[in-house]
């Protein structure tokens, strides 16, 4: 595991927790990286290792998750964008490269539109480009369709950390050699409480509000209003390692992105999780973050 610092910054309602992997050079550019809907800051651990100190990486635990689980509502994409702006303002850099995975990509795009002078280039990882919600689904049905088993996990209890590890190792997305010390640290950061009733730190009301908010018109339209260049790295495979990922050429063509500053780039042989946590996906992310940070600087 690459060493990191735990920091806290004031935001509405309390303090936002974040992890900071410092660059070798104190004057190096800064990248702020946002996690997915039921994830936490350590989901960026593999990327942090592969960045090898070329930039400073800061990843918050978003409101309602992990060490930020005690932050109260209101939740939602706009609230996360405001928290990210407060985080970058507290740390002082004029402009930072902003990256986001899954829901974090939607937050990144929304934050770039909401705070056009705060953020430099964006890197969206398997998220940020959305589609209107099916009108026949209730909010709860919509959440099941969007994240399914990840939502179910939030109401489960586990007797110990070994059981939680076994639960995740059985997930199709982490089969084979997809497990690593960084993945283990990431999933363990999500677990809280005492044996034999440990549970996820994610607050269900936060996840539900955020998930439904992904279909708000302002959130869906953000990627078409970006004030800065952006890249979308999309995974070839899906959340359960299925062949159909969240995106493909047809879906992206239907999204009407021509004329926007967003460049979609396919990442082969990865799924929705391993595009961030696996060596190949994280390596591609790290290379692009270093290039974006160098350009921004």
């Amino acid at each position: 595991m690459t060493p990191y610092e735990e920091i806290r910054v004031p935001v509405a309602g309390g303090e936002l927790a974040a992890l900071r992997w410092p660059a070798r050079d104190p004057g190096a550019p800064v990248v702020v990286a946002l996690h997915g809907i039921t994830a936490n800051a350590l989901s960026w651990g593999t990327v942090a290792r592969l960045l090898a100190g070329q930039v400073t990486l800061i990843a918050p635990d978003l409101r309602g998750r992990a060490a930020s689980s005690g932050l109260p509502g209101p939740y939602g994409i706009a609230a996360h964008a405001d928290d990210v702006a407060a985080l970058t303002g507290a740390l002082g850099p004029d402009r930072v490269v902003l990256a986001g995975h899954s829901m974090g990509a939607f937050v990144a795009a929304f934050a770039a539109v909401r705070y056009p002078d705060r953020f430099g280039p964006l890197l969206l990882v398997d998220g940020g480009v959305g589609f209107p919600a099916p009108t026949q689904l209730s909010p709860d049905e919509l959440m099941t369709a969007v994240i399914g088993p990840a939502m179910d996990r939030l109401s489960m209890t586990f007797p110990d950390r070994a059981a939680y590890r076994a639960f995740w190792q059985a997930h199709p997305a982490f089969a084979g050699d997809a497990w690593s010390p960084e993945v283990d640290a990431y999933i363990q950061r999500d677990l809280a409480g005492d044996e034999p009733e440990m549970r996820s730190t994610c607050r269900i009301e936060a996840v539900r509000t955020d998930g439904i908010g992904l279909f708000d018109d302002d959130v869906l339209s953000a990627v078409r209003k970006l004030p800065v260049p952006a890249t979308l790295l999309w995974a070839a495979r899906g959340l359960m390692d299925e062949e159909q990922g969240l995106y493909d050429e047809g879906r992206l063509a239907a999204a009407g992105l021509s004329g926007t500053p967003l460049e979609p780039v396919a990442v082969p042989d990865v799924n929705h999780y391993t595009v961030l946590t696996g060596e190949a996906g994280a390596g591609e992310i790290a290379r692009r973050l270093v290039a974006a940070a160098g350009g921004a600087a």
Side-chain angles (χ1 to χ4, degrees):
M1 285 289 297
T2 305
Y4 57 82
E5 306 164 354
E6 298 245 9
I7 61 175
R8 289 183 174 270
V9 298
V11 295
E15 291 185 323
L16 186 77
L19 306 183
R20 180 178 182 270
W21 289 268
R24 294 188 301 268
D25 177 359
V30 174
V31 173
V32 171
L34 312 177
H35 62 71
I37 192 166
T38 63
N40 61 71
L42 272 182
S43 63
W44 290 88
T46 309
V47 173
R49 170 168 55 82
L50 295 175
L51 283 170
Q54 297 175 83
V55 302
T56 290
L57 179 66
I58 299 171
D61 288 326
L62 294 176
R63 184 178 293 258
R65 284 85 170 169
S68 299
S69 63
L71 278 173
Y75 305 106
I77 305 304
H80 293 311
D82 292 345
D83 288 344
V84 173
L87 170 67
T88 57
L91 297 175
D94 294 330
R95 292 181 81 94
V96 301
V97 174
L98 189 56
H101 172 245
S102 195
M103 183 195 77
F106 288 89
V107 176
F110 191 87
V113 173
R114 194 174 180 95
Y115 298 95
D117 298 326
R118 185 66 57 86
F119 303 107
L122 301 186
L123 183 65
L124 310 181
V125 182
D126 220 34
V129 178
F131 303 91
T135 56
Q136 75 276 14
L137 297 182
S138 70
D140 287 335
E141 290 171 334
L142 184 59
M143 286 303 299
T144 299
V146 172
I147 59 173
M151 191 70 176
D152 295 340
R153 183 185 92 247
L154 306 188
S155 60
M156 298 172 63
T157 59
F158 299 86
D160 52 33
R161 292 189 175 275
Y164 199 51
R165 179 180 297 111
F167 171 86
W168 273 105
Q169 287 178 326
H171 194 294
F174 292 107
D177 60 357
W179 199 259
S180 69
E182 286 96 353
V183 171
D184 193 68
Y186 149 50
I187 66 102
Q188 294 296 344
R189 185 173 177 84
D190 177 52
L191 199 62
D194 298 316
E195 299 178 6
E197 292 190 356
M198 305 185 79
R199 63 177 64 245
S200 170
T201 62
C202 296
R203 299 182 68 163
I204 292 177
E205 62 270 30
V207 172
R208 188 174 185 275
T209 301
D210 295 346
I212 294 170
L214 293 174
F215 298 94
D216 289 348
D217 289 342
D218 288 346
V219 174
L220 291 174
S221 65
V223 75
R224 296 171 182 83
K225 301 176 181 177
L226 295 176
V228 292
T231 301
L232 167 66
L233 297 180
W234 57 273
R237 303 178 70 84
L239 279 78
M240 302 297 288
D241 201 42
E242 69 271 34
E243 289 189 12
Q244 176 62 61
L246 296 179
Y247 303 112
D248 57 29
E249 287 86 352
R251 290 180 179 181
L252 290 169
L257 299 172
S258 60
T260 72
L262 181 70
E263 178 192 9
V265 177
V267 184
D269 303 320
V270 297
N271 60 50
H272 180 71
Y273 290 95
T274 59
V275 69
L276 179 62
T277 63
E279 294 292 313
E284 181 69 18
I285 292 169
R287 286 189 293 273
R288 289 181 178 270
L289 288 178
V290 171

